[in-house]
Amino acid sequence: MMTSNTDIIIQYILRFMVGGRVSDYLSRLVGYTADISSFSKYKLVIVRSDFFEKEIYGTAKSNPIMPLKNIAGVPFLFGTPEIERAGDTIVVHADLVASAYFLLSRYEELIRPDIRDEHGRFPGRESLPYRAGFIDRPVVDEYGKLIRKLLRENGVIYTAEPSPFIQKINLTHDVDAPFRCRTWRNVARQVLSGNQTLIGAIRNKYGQPESDAYYTFPWILQQNKILQHKLGENRCRSFLFFKSGGKTKQDKPRYDLNGMDINTLFRLCREQEATVGLHSSYHSGMNPSLIAAEKTILENAWGEEVKHNRHHFLTSREPEDMEYLEKAGITDDYTMGYADVAGFRLGTSLPVRFINPATQRLTTLSLHSLTIMDGTLNGLKYMNLTIDKAEEYCIKLIDNVKNVNGELTLLWHNTSVIENEGYLRELYSKLIKHLG
Ligand SMILES: [Zn+2]
């Protein structure tokens, strides 16, 4: 019998939720069916709703009904909250598979194509997790925890849940504007805008990159080292994402990847063992076929293959656009956060393979959801939090990642940690200390 795309994805989601090294074996003990006569074949059954049926999938009928119900304290999207026993089988009437699919695949963005912000992005505040009040929880990972708990109760898993800890921390930095004043164009802009005197601007242009106010990378990477020393290099990595193209005004300022200044920054990346990734342009967010060429330009300048990506402005627009990253040879993407609200855009804190909701294809691309971006916290149009509220919210997200033994990705820009400008520098230090 041919295995359909839907079946492949359902099997993947079951393995993903069960998790761990023996997820292949364990997920086979979990049935996903509404056929009562086959329940006894499994240790645990998740009752299948009609979400994946042809007449429902992709239509308005597939929308979850608000307010959502909870199962064991976790909100879910389809089915009913009962858990019962049928002989040796535990039967869960909440359709956790379709609920996970809805969140992991960005299905909502597919069926609401008219909801986009001025940058073509789906706004976090429009999302179901935000509207239903669980954007701060990796609920798919919580489904996994519930499934393991039930398998334990049915004598299938013998080990206890590990105590709360964060598996991996990705400290990431987008290189949007690495320097304030290193070109004649910068000099002119600085002087005309009254930011610097002509002499000051020229001195800045010819000084060491380290004397430029925007060049805060040494400080950032030094902070990151504090955490790496405590957690180990394999649990905590630094990433710098570089722009290499784009012709829109949002892609400015452009910088020369082959010039002396970026060379200095590349050298710093090598010394500090930071991973270099592609910051694909705003332009390529509109036209994703440009990603492959941008990747090649960066690889030629950096001298090594580039496998990691984050979109500038987080403008990966349509879910299907992710396919272009896979085609370009990107293996890991870190774009999946909402600019306007920090939390779990994919419902998970764990790296998950991108599922294309339009074709129901399971791709090889790993998505690492972006948990916290600096500007989301203090942006006037975004969360607009004070430092205390921002810290409190970050710690809540961190605790929620710990509880499911997930992965945490932070995005802090070099321009947001300039001394004496706002609270983001102080907050970054505090979070590094908190995580160590
Ligand atoms: Zn950017």
Side-chain angles (χ1 to χ4, degrees):
M1 198 179 82
M2 274 259 295
T3 313
S4 74
N5 276 359
T6 319
D7 292 336
I8 291 170
I9 286 171
I10 288 167
Q11 287 310 316
Y12 173 72
I13 289 177
L14 284 172
R15 285 199 309 275
F16 178 80
M17 290 197 292
V18 171
R21 274 179 294 132
V22 289
S23 63
D24 261 352
Y25 161 72
L26 288 176
S27 63
R28 272 183 251 128
L29 305 176
V30 182
Y32 181 55
T33 176
D35 174 13
I36 297 173
S37 68
S38 68
F39 282 7
S40 61
K41 287 198 270 180
Y42 304 101
K43 289 288 183 184
L44 178 75
V45 164
I46 296 171
V47 178
R48 186 173 176 141
S49 67
D50 57 7
F51 176 82
F52 289 108
E53 299 304 317
K54 270 198 187 70
E55 326 70 79
I56 304 290
Y57 189 89
T59 72
K61 285 188 218 145
S62 63
N63 269 319
I65 295 160
M66 301 280 265
L68 299 181
K69 298 188 180 78
N70 288 310
I71 184 164
V74 193
F76 65 96
L77 283 55
F78 308 104
T80 57
E82 293 80 37
I83 300 177
E84 57 176 5
R85 193 170 260 287
D88 290 337
T89 311
I90 295 178
V91 179
V92 178
H93 288 267
D95 187 348
L96 302 179
V97 174
S99 301
Y101 178 94
F102 186 99
L103 298 165
L104 296 173
S105 71
R106 297 162 67 203
Y107 175 82
E108 183 177 24
E109 301 180 40
L110 176 80
I111 57 165
R112 299 176 69 200
D114 47 329
I115 309 291
R116 296 293 185 269
D117 72 4
E118 72 268 33
H119 302 296
R121 308 173 298 192
F122 188 79
R125 284 166 183 152
E126 282 286 342
S127 69
L128 177 85
Y130 182 83
R131 287 181 288 125
F134 65 87
I135 189 74
D136 56 355
R137 287 171 65 178
V139 289
V140 176
D141 306 345
E142 296 183 40
Y143 300 157
K145 225 172 155 173
L146 172 62
I147 291 169
R148 290 192 296 274
K149 178 175 166 271
L150 296 172
L151 286 174
R152 221 169 260 127
E153 280 173 22
N154 228 359
V156 180
I157 302 179
Y158 302 104
T159 51
E161 272 307 291
S163 49
F165 77 104
I166 300 185
Q167 252 185 59
K168 237 175 213 167
I169 300 178
N170 305 311
L171 302 170
T172 73
H173 313 284
D174 295 351
V175 184
D176 289 343
F179 303 101
R180 186 171 71 158
C181 193
R182 301 293 292 171
T183 62
W184 284 115
R185 189 192 297 253
N186 296 156
V187 170
R189 194 175 302 138
Q190 285 297 312
V191 175
L192 291 173
S193 64
N195 280 342
Q196 278 184 291
T197 62
L198 180 62
I199 291 182
I202 291 174
R203 202 174 284 149
N204 200 161
K205 181 182 181 301
Y206 288 106
Q208 293 299 311
E210 287 80 359
S211 63
D212 187 285
Y214 287 6
Y215 194 80
T216 56
F217 301 102
W219 180 84
I220 289 177
L221 292 173
Q222 193 194 338
Q223 293 291 309
N224 296 2
K225 276 283 160 200
I226 299 174
L227 198 51
Q228 284 168 325
H229 282 313
K230 284 190 183 147
L231 303 182
E233 304 275 335
N234 53 348
R235 268 184 69 204
C236 178
R237 276 169 79 180
S238 295
F239 294 82
L240 266 72
F241 294 101
F242 288 81
K243 290 190 294 182
S244 68
K247 291 199 163 66
T248 70
K249 83 169 191 288
Q250 287 82 0
D251 291 314
K252 288 179 179 174
R254 279 186 270 279
Y255 44 81
D256 179 7
L257 284 173
N258 297 300
M260 297 275 283
D261 288 342
I262 294 295
N263 230 302
T264 305
L265 185 50
F266 278 161
R267 205 178 322 121
L268 186 68
C269 290
R270 288 211 160 85
E271 282 164 14
Q272 301 290 325
E273 291 165 288
T275 302
V276 163
L278 175 66
H279 198 32
S280 42
S281 66
Y282 188 92
H283 199 174
S284 76
M286 297 190 290
N287 180 0
S289 65
L290 299 171
I291 295 169
E294 291 185 4
K295 176 172 171 279
T296 306
I297 291 169
L298 178 60
E299 284 171 336
N300 289 340
W302 168 240
E304 285 174 43
E305 200 180 357
V306 168
K307 294 185 167 171
H308 303 261
N309 176 71
R310 172 177 297 121
H311 277 269
H312 186 39
F313 274 69
L314 312 180
T315 52
S316 184
R317 296 183 169 198
E318 307 309 316
E320 308 91 283
D321 295 350
M322 288 281 171
E323 297 248 353
Y324 286 90
L325 290 172
E326 186 192 37
K327 253 185 255 163
I330 295 290
T331 58
D332 295 78
D333 179 80
Y334 300 77
T335 309
M336 284 300 108
Y338 290 120
D340 58 342
V341 48
F344 303 93
R345 180 168 182 174
L346 302 172
T348 181
S349 66
L350 291 162
V352 61
R353 281 163 69 186
F354 170 61
I355 298 163
N356 187 334
T359 56
Q360 297 196 342
R361 186 174 87 86
L362 179 65
T363 71
T364 57
L365 176 71
S366 278
L367 304 181
H368 302 255
S369 73
L370 167 57
T371 330
I372 304 167
M373 174 166 84
D374 50 6
T376 303
L377 301 169
N378 72 340
L380 295 179
K381 286 200 313 198
Y382 298 154
M383 296 180 84
N384 194 17
L385 302 171
T386 61
I387 181 165
D388 291 340
K389 289 282 172 211
E391 188 184 2
E392 198 182 298
Y393 187 69
C394 290
I395 288 175
K396 183 166 54 162
L397 295 177
I398 290 168
D399 286 345
N400 290 347
V401 173
K402 273 187 195 161
N403 276 330
V404 294
N405 306 112
E407 185 178 297
L408 179 77
T409 301
L410 303 183
L411 162 52
W412 244 254
H413 292 81
N414 57 300
T415 44
S416 52
V417 299
I418 297 169
E419 270 180 283
N420 306 318
E421 278 190 24
Y423 65 69
L424 291 170
R425 182 180 171 106
E426 190 188 340
L427 181 60
Y428 193 62
S429 285
K430 280 186 167 179
L431 294 180
I432 293 285
K433 279 202 194 85
H434 178 82
L435 289 164

